[in-house]
Amino acid sequence: MGIPSEDVVLIQLPKDPSEPTVVTVNCPDKPGLGCDLCRTLLEFGLSITRADFSTDGRWCYVVFWLVPNVSNSFKIDWESLKNRLFSMCPSCLVPFFYLNNQQGGDGNGSSTHPSVYLLKLCCLDRKGLLHDVTRILSDLEFSIQRVKVMTTPDGRVMDLFFITDGMELLHTKKRRDDTKEHLIAVLGNYCISFELQLAGPEYDSLNALPSLPPAVSEELFTCELASKEASSKELKSDLVTLKKATITVDNLLSPAHTLLQIHCADQKGLFYDILRTSKDFDFQIAHGRFSSSVKGYRNLDLFIRQANGKKIVDPKHQNALCSRLKEEMLHPFRVVIVNRGPDTELLVANPVESSGKGRPRVFYDVTLALKMLGICIFSAEIGRHSSSDRQWEVYRFLLDDSHEFPLTSDRARNQLVDKVRRILMGW
């Protein structure tokens, strides 16, 4: 037995729909807990408007003010969210030193990983089909780990989704039947066949993507903003706004902690990106305040120290940390369009956590942008790519050209990149 979820995770729904929902987490601390909580909120389609975080290294107290993301089209299951957040909190009866010693390689206190299932769908093709399936899977709290989508010459689509279940109930008949029922309800007569089973060796074979051409790889993974992405007037103005990000390091205000003061443009998943970076750099946040957006900008105050309990005084360490934080704020996604033989390919990449977890809902957002533009997807896949000291999750979409949206046109390509980036960034 431990402290019940009612005391560990509190959710206060607003009386006025225009107001945010307040979520409080009060539990023992563990490395990377803040990052894991923010990742789950992002997975549920929620945006953090404000946040307060404090810990003494043993116990943490976090308050989030939340609103649905603009691209979120389904109702939030608050009870399910509460259960998910509670499941991430260490047991209140386990000593903290034991938690530290039992941390697995993923940094979240668990040596087990959720089972991966293979969902096979054969459907008649239509515009927006891939996003509609992705939306249902997100609504059902499935996380898409890998995808392989193929279109046949006779107008059929074979979708292979490798998924994990946030509820961890996919081994039950009821959960499988509910999944099939939801998919059939939306796909209707377009659905030809449905199969759901534990994934086999084919999952590992899809982990690595076919090698990217050197020029494409350099453009996709360079630290500088790709010139192709900054070619439209709309995108240039956004990038100018993003480049106004500033980080100030102060070692005088607190005797025990380094203060990071961050001023940057508001965007989807900002707090997650910052906490993900802190987790990867293995520094501890004793107190953090994430202020509300003012004219499109955010202010964050983070009192931090190294894993050894010391302040960050080494200028090289400070510069490396600030450089990585700026990179995540300026460029959390890489979006490029390239020619793949006679076809047009859209590539989207984002960094993978040191724990091996990819960013939630990227596939959802990209397919949403393509559906909104009326662009059909001929094939799609997700894989991993290693570049220098980082691992990336890469989404590849082979697109169908059309008279309504000619992808040979530079204007259409710029419009596509702009739309994808805006959905991903929450603008």
Side-chain angles (χ1 to χ4, degrees):
M1 293 179 63
I3 296 177
S5 62
E6 287 76 11
D7 297 324
V8 174
V9 181
L10 299 173
I11 297 182
Q12 182 181 346
L13 298 176
K15 295 180 180 179
D16 187 337
S18 63
E19 295 295 320
T21 297
V22 181
V23 173
T24 304
V25 180
N26 184 22
C27 69
D29 199 7
K30 69 175 183 180
L33 177 60
C35 174
D36 295 339
L37 295 175
C38 289
R39 188 183 190 282
T40 300
L41 296 177
L42 189 58
E43 187 178 337
F44 270 74
L46 292 164
S47 177
I48 301 171
T49 63
R50 288 172 54 202
D52 276 310
F53 175 87
S54 62
T55 179
D56 59 2
R58 292 176 175 272
W59 200 273
C60 75
Y61 182 76
V62 189
V63 184
F64 298 106
W65 286 262
L66 307 170
V67 297
N69 284 325
V70 175
S71 61
N72 188 20
S73 62
F74 49 83
K75 186 178 179 180
I76 304 296
D77 186 338
W78 294 105
E79 188 62 30
S80 181
L81 173 63
K82 183 176 183 177
N83 293 335
R84 289 280 297 279
L85 294 176
F86 177 70
S87 70
M88 296 178 182
C89 299
S91 169
C92 300
L93 295 183
V94 180
F96 180 75
F97 70 87
Y98 178 80
L99 289 170
N100 270 340
N101 292 335
Q102 294 299 312
Q103 291 297 323
D106 60 358
N108 56 22
S110 174
S111 59
T112 61
H113 298 278
S115 299
V116 179
Y117 288 81
L118 170 59
L119 169 63
K120 294 182 181 179
L121 281 175
C122 182
C123 305
L124 298 175
D125 196 13
R126 64 169 172 79
K127 286 187 177 181
L129 174 68
L130 186 55
H131 176 72
D132 290 344
V133 174
T134 303
R135 179 175 56 82
I136 298 167
L137 297 179
S138 297
D139 194 11
L140 293 173
E141 295 183 42
F142 295 127
S143 295
I144 300 173
Q145 306 299 326
R146 298 288 178 272
V147 168
K148 185 72 174 179
V149 175
M150 299 156 286
T151 303
T152 62
D154 61 352
R156 298 188 180 193
V157 178
M158 174 60 74
D159 294 342
L160 305 179
F161 289 91
F162 292 86
I163 58 177
T164 54
D165 184 7
M167 296 183 178
E168 298 188 10
L169 294 173
L170 204 47
H171 61 282
T172 65
K173 184 177 184 300
K174 183 179 185 305
R175 179 70 160 155
R176 292 169 182 248
D177 290 344
D178 286 345
T179 301
K180 182 176 182 179
E181 181 181 332
H182 278 80
L183 286 167
I184 297 299
V186 172
L187 300 178
N189 294 331
Y190 284 90
C191 184
I192 299 173
S193 65
F194 169 99
E195 294 181 41
L196 185 57
Q197 63 195 41
L198 274 170
E202 68 273 15
Y203 174 67
D204 294 327
S205 68
L206 289 178
N207 192 40
L209 285 170
S211 59
L212 297 170
V216 174
S217 182
E218 181 180 358
E219 181 177 10
L220 198 59
F221 304 115
T222 181
C223 292
E224 298 297 326
L225 296 177
S227 59
K228 285 188 177 180
E229 281 191 68
S231 57
S232 71
K233 293 182 179 179
E234 295 84 358
L235 202 51
K236 281 182 178 178
S237 64
D238 288 335
L239 295 178
V240 169
T241 300
L242 284 174
K243 287 184 177 180
K244 292 181 180 179
T246 59
I247 302 176
T248 303
V249 181
D250 186 342
N251 272 312
L252 300 177
L253 186 63
S254 170
H257 299 90
T258 296
L259 170 62
L260 287 184
Q261 294 180 303
I262 301 173
H263 176 75
C264 61
D266 191 15
Q267 59 202 47
K268 185 192 299 183
L270 176 61
F271 202 31
Y272 164 73
D273 287 326
I274 291 173
L275 293 186
R276 172 172 56 83
T277 304
S278 73
K279 182 178 179 180
D280 290 350
F281 268 75
D282 197 23
F283 69 77
Q284 302 168 348
I285 302 176
H287 176 71
R289 175 159 292 178
F290 187 55
S291 302
S292 299
S293 176
V294 177
K295 295 182 178 180
Y297 284 90
R298 295 278 194 162
N299 289 306
L300 292 88
D301 294 325
L302 304 176
F303 287 86
I304 67 174
R305 58 186 177 187
Q306 301 178 73
N308 59 12
K310 296 182 180 180
K311 299 166 72 171
I312 304 175
V313 294
D314 184 351
K316 290 184 179 179
H317 196 174
Q318 290 179 7
N319 290 337
L321 174 59
C322 292
S323 176
R324 177 59 67 85
L325 284 170
K326 278 193 173 183
E327 181 181 341
E328 301 306 327
M329 291 184 291
L330 293 175
H331 210 32
F333 302 98
R334 314 295 168 91
V335 185
V336 299
I337 291 182
V338 298
N339 293 324
R340 186 170 163 184
D343 301 312
T344 302
E345 185 175 36
L346 171 70
L347 296 103
V348 179
N350 56 267
V352 174
E353 291 180 30
S354 58
S355 65
K357 295 178 180 178
R359 189 187 188 94
R361 294 174 64 89
V362 175
F363 196 77
Y364 175 95
D365 284 342
V366 176
T367 54
L368 173 61
L370 294 173
K371 180 180 179 180
M372 293 173 71
L373 292 172
I375 298 175
C376 290
I377 301 169
F378 179 77
S379 68
E381 56 186 329
I382 307 174
R384 297 291 174 94
H385 177 88
S386 295
S387 175
S388 63
D389 62 337
R390 308 190 72 179
Q391 190 178 41
W392 300 80
E393 196 151 60
V394 182
Y395 302 76
R396 303 182 70 168
F397 300 87
L398 206 60
L399 307 177
D400 278 336
D401 205 353
S402 67
H403 294 294
E404 297 82 9
F405 208 96
L407 294 173
T408 54
S409 161
D410 288 340
R411 182 176 178 275
R413 290 188 172 209
N414 291 338
Q415 184 182 350
L416 171 56
V417 169
D418 185 48
K419 186 67 174 180
V420 170
R421 279 181 56 89
R422 287 181 183 277
I423 295 293
L424 288 170
M425 301 289 274
W427 292 336

